[in-house]
Amino acid sequence: VLDTFLENHSEHVKLCDLLEQIADARPHHVDPRSCESAIDMLRRDLPLHRRDHEEGLFPLLAERAQPEDNLAAWLEQLCAEHISDHSCAMELLEVLPVLASGDPIEDPDTCGYMLRNFFECYRRHLTWELHLILPLAHQRLDRSDLQRLEQLLVHHRL
């Protein structure tokens, strides 16, 4: 089941790459299909990422963490970043359809800043989860934890 988290992280890195391509192409050379793909991922994958972590992985890790893991502060930070990521994603969901349509953007510099801010912060977030949280999950979670986590992931996708 932890491999699913790795696969999902890989997809989220692709989202960041896609948003970077869009930022580099704006305002005149944006591929509408890239925008549509980014919109789909922001609507579907970002909320799933948050739910999978906050309702599944993070609580299980919190149950199993050892004092030397210093996990509480990391989880608090990552949850705060999920909130910030969601807020930024909502703003991107307003601007990406305009970019996809080819209509002029009122403030292309602000649009570029929004795109870059999101993918730079989100890449950092994903890196922390990949290099801190997932290795700890491999160490601390037992077979029953992984079964519970797998059931939750399936439930989130129904």
Side-chain angles (χ1 to χ4, degrees):
V1 72
L2 294 177
D3 288 342
T4 301
F5 281 89
L6 285 173
E7 292 168 14
N8 291 342
H9 273 79
S10 176
E11 290 301 310
H12 288 264
V13 169
K14 289 178 186 176
L15 169 63
C16 292
D17 293 345
L18 186 61
L19 292 172
E20 185 172 18
Q21 291 170 3
I22 293 167
D24 290 345
R26 63 165 186 83
H28 303 295
H29 304 289
V30 174
D31 178 9
R33 291 172 303 199
S34 295
C35 292
E36 293 301 326
S37 293
I39 289 167
D40 289 343
M41 294 175 85
L42 288 168
R43 283 189 181 142
R44 180 189 63 242
D45 298 336
L46 198 66
L48 272 175
H49 172 93
R50 183 177 179 183
R51 286 185 73 197
D52 291 346
H53 285 79
E54 291 184 13
E55 295 176 19
L57 184 60
F58 292 176
L60 283 172
L61 271 177
E63 287 177 26
R64 301 287 183 230
Q66 301 296 311
E68 66 269 16
D69 295 336
N70 295 314
L71 188 63
W74 287 111
L75 294 181
E76 184 178 320
Q77 176 65 32
L78 290 170
C79 288
E81 289 177 5
H82 283 160
I83 293 168
S84 176
D85 294 339
H86 174 77
S87 177
C88 290
M90 293 301 101
E91 292 176 351
L92 290 178
L93 287 170
E94 292 177 14
V95 73
L96 284 168
V98 178
L99 285 171
S101 73
D103 291 339
I105 295 287
E106 283 185 38
D107 189 350
D109 290 334
T110 299
C111 173
Y113 175 80
M114 288 169 47
L115 287 162
R116 290 186 191 288
N117 180 61
F118 180 85
F119 69 73
E120 288 172 358
C121 291
Y122 199 53
R123 278 182 180 143
R124 180 183 40 76
H125 174 88
L126 292 169
T127 299
W128 282 114
E129 288 181 345
L130 184 64
H131 294 289
L132 178 76
I133 300 300
L134 289 178
L136 190 60
H138 278 285
Q139 290 177 343
R140 300 286 185 237
L141 300 182
D142 62 25
R143 180 173 287 164
S144 67
D145 295 329
L146 296 175
Q147 288 172 341
R148 287 172 48 200
L149 188 56
E150 185 173 23
Q151 290 171 351
L152 187 73
L153 296 182
V154 169
H155 176 74
H156 286 169
R157 282 148 183 84
L158 293 179

